[in-house]
Amino acid sequence: MKNNLPRPGSTKLKQLTAYSLETQTEAAIDLLKRLIATPSLSREEDRTAQLIEQFFRQRSIPYKRTKNNVWTHNRFFDPAKPTLLLNSHHDTVKPNASWTLDPFQPIEREGKLYGLGSNDAGGCLVSLIGTFCHFFDKKDLAYNIVMAATAEEEISGREGLELILPELPPIDFAIVGEPTQMHLAVAEKGLLVLDCTAKGKSGHAARDEGDNAIYYAIKDIEWLTSNPFPKVSPTLGPIKLSVTIINAGSQHNVVPDTCTFTVDVRATEQYTLEEIIETIRKNIRSTVQPRSIRLKPSSIPLDHPIVQAGIALKRETYGSPTTSDQALLDCPSLKCGPGHSERSHTADEFIYLREIEEGIELYIRMLEQIL
């Protein structure tokens, strides 16, 4: 663990020069190019963490690093004030085989910046960092600001945001940077993965013997896909269940005694994850084992000041079906960032350069209304 973060209220910090939006954008794009050029697959983000450390050091911004997570707070941190968290991740998925460009070479072309992680979520991360730098040295803010660049988001790992939350001050609300075209994802579905096992009895397929586990699994899957949970979220819609993996049998002439299947559940705030598990267990024969109950649904009230600030800037509100590090937070949180979700995890991923400038500007204008 590396820590050069001073105690809140320390006066031993150098003055940060005020930067224009243009300068902040140039610095953010330069940082994004260096992040793209530095492979940072999940659990392998040490080198991009070093780049982020270097960025803060060059601006005389003290920071703290825990494993591959780097975080800092505004100069005039006041423990008596509420705290806002700005968060995005610097890990990426693996590049798929369809890339026609070098995924680790930042390429500018026709106003776009290509490269792995450019859209998800490098553009968001550097825009939030630029926004943090804008407010870092300002006095008399209504909120403290914590900026956290975190790891392992793409694999929902335990050594990313979840690892450092106990080290952070209490968070009153958060902005999580993910590509939303700077619109306001005011709710996000949680993720529940269930491993289910149907049990039968083996026998010879040529004779009337055995108890076929596949048939029990089929009946359970039929219940899962034809009995929707009745409560529907006004922003996220219904809970969505999808059977995504099924395995059974050893050879053609043996009745299988075991059939396993996996269910992907996208949960809403209408039910706790525990309630969903219990309901399923009561209605199917198979055993049900959740892999985790960490990734909870998340939301922020429409009347929250940061949401109202975004609406005043003509940002639209919606519910997001995809999961992010919001799921690990116990405070109100807003998902918002430059880029487009449909470009994430695609070959020849890119972000428009103008989106980064717009992202920094809109983040700043939203926060100015509450800070």
Side-chain angles (χ1 to χ4, degrees), residues 46-100:
D46 54 310
R47 292 169 60 203
T48 47
Q50 291 172 6
L51 290 176
I52 296 164
E53 288 182 286
Q54 181 185 47
F55 184 93
F56 288 139
R57 280 198 306 271
Q58 290 173 343
R59 287 154 182 78
S60 300
I61 298 176
Y63 60 86
K64 181 175 181 179
R65 176 172 173 178
T66 303
K67 295 203 170 178
N68 292 330
N69 305 287
V70 182
W71 64 275
T72 181
H73 60 61
N74 58 303
R75 177 181 180 187
F76 297 103
F77 185 97
D78 181 352
K81 292 181 179 179
T83 297
L84 157 66
L85 171 66
L86 304 179
N87 166 248
S88 192
H89 63 96
H90 59 104
D91 65 316
T92 71
V93 298
K94 295 179 181 179
N96 63 56
S98 299
W99 275 79
T100 64

Side-chain angles (χ1 to χ4, degrees), residues 28-41 47-49 51-52 89-93 95 99 101-109 112-126 348-353 356:
I29 291 173
D30 177 71
L31 175 59
L32 180 54
K33 288 179 178 179
R34 287 185 285 135
L35 292 172
I36 290 170
T38 307
S40 57
L41 307 182
R47 292 169 60 203
T48 47
L51 290 176
I52 296 164
H89 63 96
H90 59 104
D91 65 316
T92 71
V93 298
W99 275 79
L101 305 171
D102 181 346
F104 302 111
Q105 181 179 354
I107 297 173
E108 278 191 50
R109 185 181 296 168
K112 301 174 183 177
L113 178 60
Y114 290 88
L116 184 65
S118 57
N119 180 77
D120 184 15
C124 302
L125 175 63
V126 300
D348 299 338
E349 178 184 352
F350 70 89
I351 190 168
Y352 287 99
L353 296 173
I356 297 173

Side-chain angles (χ1 to χ4, degrees), residues 105-173:
Q105 181 179 354
I107 297 173
E108 278 191 50
R109 185 181 296 168
E110 297 177 345
K112 301 174 183 177
L113 178 60
Y114 290 88
L116 184 65
S118 57
N119 180 77
D120 184 15
C124 302
L125 175 63
V126 300
S127 296
L128 283 172
I129 289 175
T131 301
F132 172 80
C133 289
H134 174 81
F135 289 105
F136 169 75
D137 208 40
K138 295 187 181 298
K139 297 181 178 180
D140 302 321
L141 296 177
Y143 284 81
N144 301 310
I145 306 176
V146 170
M147 176 70 226
T150 50
E152 296 194 7
E153 190 273 347
E154 294 290 3
I155 58 170
S156 301
R158 293 182 179 273
E159 294 192 344
L161 177 60
E162 186 175 26
L163 180 68
I164 65 168
L165 281 175
E167 301 180 51
L168 303 182
I171 304 299
D172 292 84
F173 79 95

Side-chain angles (χ1 to χ4, degrees), residues 275-293:
E275 287 174 331
I276 295 171
I277 295 166
E278 185 61 25
T279 299
I280 292 173
R281 281 176 171 160
K282 286 180 178 179
N283 287 279
I284 69 174
R285 172 173 173 154
S286 301
T287 61
V288 178
Q289 181 60 46
R291 294 185 184 177
S292 168
I293 54 171

Side-chain angles (χ1 to χ4, degrees), residues 304-322:
H304 193 284
I306 192 63
V307 177
Q308 289 300 306
I311 291 173
L313 294 171
K314 303 188 185 304
R315 300 292 91 194
E316 299 174 3
T317 62
Y318 72 102
S320 173
T322 57

Side-chain angles (χ1 to χ4, degrees), residues 108-338:
E108 278 191 50
R109 185 181 296 168
E110 297 177 345
K112 301 174 183 177
L113 178 60
Y114 290 88
L116 184 65
S118 57
N119 180 77
D120 184 15
C124 302
L125 175 63
V126 300
S127 296
L128 283 172
I129 289 175
T131 301
F132 172 80
C133 289
H134 174 81
F135 289 105
F136 169 75
D137 208 40
K138 295 187 181 298
K139 297 181 178 180
D140 302 321
L141 296 177
Y143 284 81
N144 301 310
I145 306 176
V146 170
M147 176 70 226
T150 50
E152 296 194 7
E153 190 273 347
E154 294 290 3
I155 58 170
S156 301
R158 293 182 179 273
E159 294 192 344
L161 177 60
E162 186 175 26
L163 180 68
I164 65 168
L165 281 175
E167 301 180 51
L168 303 182
I171 304 299
D172 292 84
F173 79 95
I175 297 176
V176 176
E178 291 285 343
T180 69
Q181 298 178 289
M182 289 304 293
H183 292 302
L184 314 174
V186 295
E188 176 187 272
K189 286 188 174 180
L191 173 62
L192 185 61
V193 180
L194 305 176
D195 290 315
C196 305
T197 303
K199 285 290 190 178
K201 182 181 179 182
S202 62
H204 199 297
R207 294 188 293 269
D208 188 18
E209 45 181 54
D211 202 5
N212 198 319
I214 293 176
Y215 299 160
Y216 291 125
I218 289 172
K219 290 179 181 179
D220 287 346
I221 291 169
E222 183 179 6
W223 185 89
L224 289 167
T225 56
S226 60
N227 289 273
F229 284 73
K231 290 190 287 187
V232 176
S233 167
T235 52
L236 296 170
I239 289 177
K240 187 177 187 301
L241 293 86
S242 303
V243 178
T244 53
I245 302 171
I246 187 165
N247 287 292
S250 56
Q251 60 188 63
H252 76 91
N253 58 352
V254 178
V255 173
D257 63 358
T258 302
C259 180
T260 62
F261 58 96
T262 300
V263 187
D264 178 293
V265 183
R266 302 293 166 154
T268 74
E269 81 288 353
Q270 296 295 306
Y271 297 89
T272 66
L273 299 186
E274 291 84 355
E275 287 174 331
I276 295 171
I277 295 166
E278 185 61 25
T279 299
I280 292 173
R281 281 176 171 160
K282 286 180 178 179
N283 287 279
I284 69 174
R285 172 173 173 154
S286 301
T287 61
V288 178
Q289 181 60 46
R291 294 185 184 177
S292 168
I293 54 171
R294 297 164 52 238
L295 304 178
K296 304 178 294 293
S298 55
S299 63
I300 190 168
L302 287 175
D303 60 358
H304 193 284
I306 192 63
V307 177
Q308 289 300 306
I311 291 173
L313 294 171
K314 303 188 185 304
R315 300 292 91 194
E316 299 174 3
T317 62
Y318 72 102
S320 173
T322 57
T323 303
S324 72
D325 274 343
Q326 270 188 292
L328 303 171
L329 296 170
D330 290 324
C331 62
S333 56
L334 174 69
K335 185 162 68 176
C336 177

